Amino acid sequence: MQNKNPYFFLILSIIITVPFWVAFACGDKKSEDKPAAEKPADPGKPGAPEAPAELKVASSLTGAGATFPFPLYSKWADAYGKDTGLKLNYQAIGSGGGVAQIKKKTVDFGASDEPMKPEDLQKEGLFQFPMAIGGVVPVINVEGIADGALKLSPAVLCGIYLGDIKKWDHEELRKLNEGVNLPAKDIAVVYRSDGSGTTWIFTDYLSRVCPAWKDKVGAGKSVQWPVGMGGKGNPGVAAYVKQTAGSIGYVEFAYALQNQLPAAQLANKDGQYVKPSIESFMAAAKHADWENAPGFFMVLNDQPGAETWPIAGATFILMHREQKDEAKVRAMFRFFDWCYRSGAAMAKELHYVPMPENVIELVAKKWASEITANGKPVALK
Amino acid sequence: MTPRRLADLWKAQTSFRKSSAFHRHVDRAFRYLTLACAATTLLLVGAILWNLIEHAWPSITKFGLGFVTSSQWNPVKSQYGAASSIYGTLVSTAIALILALPISLAIALFLTSYAPPWLAKIVGTCVELLAAIPSIIYGMWGLFVFAPYMQKTVQPMLAKLPGPLFDGAPLGVGMLTAGIILALMILPFLTAVMRDVFAMTPPVLMESAAGMGSTSWEVTRKISIPYGLRGLIGATFLGLGRAIGETMAVTFVIGNSHRISTSLFAPGNTIASTLANEFNEADSPLLEAALIELGLILFVITLIIQILAHLWLKNLQKRQAR
């Protein structure tokens, strides 16, 4: 069939679809503008005269970020919400996403497993504080070796992940483990394939204790692994380790406990071999020097103390220093304070490690001095 | 065609249609509507391409052609190369197609030519059900059920074969496992479309061929396949499209390593799996640009394969016409 003017159709069709295109093209900008525009429309605020007697507390909060503390935050929010009616919407989109979202102000708080550097905090007008401790545990699957039976030194762990130590009956391993029946099997190295705070803590630890690792690989949420295979997420690593005879991997402590993966002992800074446990993680946090860590920038790797487990990190909450909505800040502080104190037992139930008392007090002090709503400090009670 | 003749045609057409002016308007409106929809697709592809290039630009300018040839993927030193991802994408897709094409062809032929109608109905429904399984299920099944089976049974068997393809420790996961999972995933798609293509072969053609003494295989090879060639290639592309961009299932079983290895047992990665792994935590602008460039490369690879297939098809038709 012939058309009168084929171009006519083309032009017309473009005209018809123009609204879509405008929408597409502007989509990006709009989504960035929105949160700022929506902010003033918070519940209980607009227009109405301030009630002087009672302090306003927001009834809902939004947060986004790290997946590692997600089960803990959910449980806390659930228990706290039952008493107070606070609704917390936490999206476990990953630490990087959490940082990006809080920068864009699309959420009330962000959560990250990797502390932000003090100068970056300054630049973005952000404040961070540790909420709970996460530890990383090497887990193994070697026939005949039970949980806690294998001893690893930092150098040997590093050698395995560098690919220098290839067999389970390597001389170095035998020296550390007299009396343990080590098979003449290949070591299958397993790592996290997705970018994650767990990997960051683990590689940061290796970089601290092993110069060769620092030179060749370095620390990051994902790195160029010299050997091995990558499983996606803690479940992926756990599955690879469980299914592959002769494998070694690293997972979050909570994950190792819940799945009963055989863990190895590790020598700490004091040269003591320790097993991963809630106590050994808390020892790491207790001995860390938080007072002299600007912006709470602190990694709990390779901390001193005879009982200290050497691979650990805190998981952090990020919020803006200058807030507009006082009721929201108050809700956040009350919630997080409750988490620190009343939530500690709950955290242990889920195999998370709560913050020690000395750190909690320091954080509360900083809340009062560093966070402002409309230029004024926020009264809690 | 001269303008004169065009005008005549148009006049004839309009005079014919004048009998129902209303229908003519509806008809025209409908035509515009379909055209608008089609044009949207075109513009959409163009916009995606433009967007990809725009966002990948920092990586394109920094690494240039080296991005395609280097298999370095080092977020710590901000060095990115796509070679291992491109290699893995092509190899895993090739394994999937090599395994899935003949099997789905056989299933489709069985369903249309050999199976009694009641059986064809049951098997056909099953195939369609398989096509509806979400990819994450294939991934989980691949990781928890199929990978251990590969490790304990299939890989030790294959390891006895000579050659570098089946070297190395049987890890269970790896390129081969990913390829097989992909084959399983695209099998129902290929089969469903191929069955419909074969079902469209005019029975009279097949009957005449059979009447002239052709065997069933000859009827298939000389009548059904050439008749439905375009459709079969279309089906292959549906499968290829799904395999080449498959993300979750592959990420679960491929082993996610940025190293190129000749052994199919070795862990590898694909463009889609790299994106799935890294995008969430890509907080440096260069890493994000590099990941988007990976997406761009996937886009270009698909485009190149499409073009090659069209050229091949054209060539084939020319030869057939002769």
Side-chain angles (χ1 to χ4, degrees):
Chain A
M1 190 164 56
Q2 296 290 334
N3 293 328
K4 190 165 61 179
N5 182 355
Y7 295 109
F8 177 65
F9 290 104
L10 190 66
I11 292 162
L12 193 85
S13 64
I14 290 172
I15 292 171
I16 290 175
T17 50
V18 153
F20 295 104
W21 293 104
V22 174
F24 274 123
C26 304
D28 257 5
K29 268 183 211 147
K30 268 185 195 153
S31 68
E32 271 170 33
D33 295 345
K34 244 184 207 160
E38 271 175 4
K39 270 265 154 91
D42 278 325
K45 266 255 150 185
E50 293 275 334
E54 212 169 305
L55 291 173
K56 279 207 163 66
V57 183
S59 61
S60 73
L61 292 174
T62 55
T67 47
F68 154 68
F70 174 56
L72 179 62
Y73 293 173
S74 312
K75 176 136 192 186
W76 276 344
D78 186 49
Y80 185 75
K82 268 183 200 149
D83 293 346
T84 60
L86 178 86
K87 283 200 177 63
L88 173 70
N89 176 10
Y90 182 78
Q91 301 286 330
I93 54 173
S95 297
V99 173
Q101 295 301 317
I102 190 68
K103 277 185 191 166
K104 285 189 202 158
K105 299 192 181 179
T106 53
V107 288
D108 299 322
F109 66 89
S112 172
D113 291 338
E114 185 181 1
M116 240 171 138
K117 291 199 181 92
E119 57 265 31
D120 292 338
L121 288 170
Q122 202 70 43
K123 204 174 68 189
E124 301 287 343
L126 289 170
F127 176 75
Q128 77 182 352
F129 54 91
M131 201 62 227
I133 300 161
V136 181
V137 178
V139 289
I140 53 166
N141 174 1
V142 188
E143 224 188 317
I145 299 184
D147 180 39
L150 185 80
K151 285 181 180 170
L152 293 173
S153 66
V156 166
L157 185 64
C158 180
I160 290 174
Y161 269 88
L162 277 175
D164 297 337
I165 296 176
K166 290 190 167 66
K167 296 251 181 204
W168 280 107
D169 62 348
H170 190 274
E171 194 185 343
E172 299 277 328
L173 270 160
R174 274 198 318 226
K175 250 194 275 174
L176 294 176
N177 296 281
E178 276 169 33
V180 178
N181 188 19
L182 290 163
K185 248 190 136 84
D186 286 337
I187 301 178
V189 172
V190 182
Y191 52 82
R192 279 278 290 266
S193 63
D194 50 332
S196 73
T198 311
T199 296
W200 184 81
I201 292 173
F202 186 70
T203 51
D204 178 78
Y205 169 72
L206 289 180
S207 297
R208 279 163 195 248
V209 296
C210 178
W213 183 270
K214 196 176 183 181
D215 267 11
K216 288 182 191 155
V217 186
K221 283 181 189 166
S222 59
V223 299
Q224 188 165 28
W225 298 95
V227 286
M229 53 182 170
K232 185 160 164 49
N234 278 312
V237 173
Y240 280 17
V241 171
K242 269 187 183 167
Q243 286 165 13
T244 312
S247 59
I248 182 168
Y250 62 91
V251 292
E252 284 291 350
F253 172 61
Y255 206 86
L257 271 190
Q258 281 155 13
N259 293 276
Q260 289 160 349
L261 298 165
Q265 290 188 51
L266 199 54
N268 62 21
K269 198 171 192 175
D270 292 12
Q272 302 293 318
Y273 282 89
V274 282
K275 287 181 187 174
S277 68
I278 290 192
E279 291 70 37
S280 61
F281 284 113
M282 276 183 104
K286 204 161 69 191
H287 290 111
D289 182 13
W290 294 94
E291 294 274 355
N292 294 315
F296 288 111
F297 181 85
M298 170 67 75
V299 185
L300 298 175
N301 278 329
D302 204 29
Q303 293 291 339
E307 307 288 306
T308 296
W309 177 259
I311 320 178
T315 182
F316 293 85
I317 299 283
L318 288 157
M319 56 194 287
H320 283 274
R321 269 164 197 283
E322 280 159 30
Q323 301 271 344
K324 287 204 181 88
D325 187 347
E326 199 184 345
K328 235 168 205 175
V329 183
R330 192 168 293 125
M332 273 192 272
F333 285 171
R334 284 191 183 174
F335 171 61
F336 290 131
D337 188 63
W338 178 90
C339 294
Y340 275 146
R341 296 169 198 280
S342 311
M346 240 173 261
K348 281 185 188 167
E349 265 170 45
L350 290 176
H351 308 305
Y352 286 87
V353 185
M355 296 308 295
E357 187 62 33
N358 57 340
V359 184
I360 297 175
E361 274 162 20
L362 194 64
V363 171
K365 232 194 284 172
K366 295 275 177 189
W367 281 346
S369 63
E370 308 241 347
I371 307 286
T372 57
N374 301 314
K376 283 178 287 187
V378 178
L380 270 187
K381 281 162 192 141
Chain B
M1 195 172 280
T2 59
R4 172 81 207 209
R5 196 151 143 50
L6 201 71
D8 283 350
L9 245 166
W10 181 256
K11 220 183 274 167
Q13 236 176 25
T14 40
S15 69
F16 170 70
R17 287 182 179 188
K18 239 175 204 163
S19 53
S20 167
F22 175 70
H23 273 175
R24 201 185 63 207
H25 285 302
V26 170
D27 212 31
R28 187 182 286 172
F30 184 69
R31 211 160 51 194
Y32 293 164
L33 186 73
T34 54
L35 200 86
C37 291
T40 306
T41 326
L42 254 179
L43 289 171
L44 204 58
V45 170
I48 290 173
L49 190 65
W50 188 72
N51 230 306
L52 283 174
I53 293 175
E54 189 195 5
H55 285 99
W57 197 246
S59 161
I60 295 172
T61 47
K62 174 135 202 261
F63 301 117
L65 255 185
F67 189 76
V68 185
T69 55
S70 156
S71 67
Q72 277 262 341
W73 189 273
N74 194 335
V76 178
K77 300 199 171 87
S78 286
Q79 286 297 318
Y80 303 108
S84 74
S85 301
I86 295 171
Y87 172 82
T89 303
L90 295 178
V91 170
S92 63
T93 306
I95 296 173
L97 280 180
I98 289 168
L99 292 175
L101 263 183
I103 299 175
S104 55
L105 203 65
I107 300 175
L109 280 174
F110 174 76
L111 291 181
T112 47
S113 319
Y114 300 100
W118 62 270
L119 185 63
K121 216 171 193 174
I122 295 174
V123 177
T125 312
C126 289
V127 165
E128 276 151 23
L129 272 177
L130 279 178
I133 295 176
S135 65
I136 185 96
I137 303 292
Y138 280 99
M140 302 276 250
W141 178 81
L143 176 60
F144 292 113
V145 181
F146 188 64
Y149 175 73
M150 283 291 288
Q151 185 184 28
K152 293 195 180 92
T153 317
V154 180
Q155 289 185 335
M157 247 159 53
L158 288 174
K160 287 180 191 135
L161 296 174
L165 279 184
F166 305 113
D167 265 353
L171 296 170
V173 295
M175 197 65 89
L176 183 64
T177 311
I180 295 175
I181 294 285
L182 280 178
L184 288 177
M185 290 179 70
I186 61 174
L187 195 72
F189 275 88
L190 290 176
T191 308
V193 182
M194 284 182 178
R195 183 193 57 189
D196 295 347
V197 168
F198 285 141
M200 279 191 301
T201 317
V204 69
L205 276 182
M206 290 158 70
E207 278 159 19
S208 355
M212 288 172 73
S214 301
T215 61
S216 298
W217 170 239
E218 278 169 335
V219 174
T220 303
R221 202 167 63 88
K222 300 203 168 133
I223 308 292
S224 300
I225 292 182
Y227 190 86
L229 192 63
R230 207 169 247 284
L232 292 179
I233 289 175
T236 311
F237 265 92
L238 264 182
L240 187 129
R242 189 170 188 197
I244 212 166
E246 175 48 44
T247 310
M248 283 325 286
V250 171
T251 311
F252 271 70
V253 297
I254 200 163
N256 303 304
S257 129
H258 286 276
R259 288 181 299 273
I260 294 179
S261 167
T262 49
S263 169
L264 296 181
F265 287 1
N269 64 356
T270 68
I271 291 176
S273 77
T274 306
L275 287 173
N277 276 319
E278 310 260 347
F279 215 91
N280 232 5
E281 294 288 326
D283 36 19
S284 96
L286 190 62
L287 175 55
E288 204 179 308
L291 288 170
I292 292 170
E293 192 176 351
L294 274 183
L296 178 66
I297 288 172
L298 187 62
F299 197 93
V300 172
I301 290 177
T302 322
L303 198 73
I304 291 174
I305 296 178
Q306 287 267 19
I307 291 170
L308 286 180
H310 276 293
L311 289 178
W312 179 63
L313 195 68
K314 238 183 187 171
N315 194 4
L316 211 71
Q317 278 168 341
K318 231 187 257 167
R319 257 189 301 168
Q320 269 178 357
R322 237 180 255 157

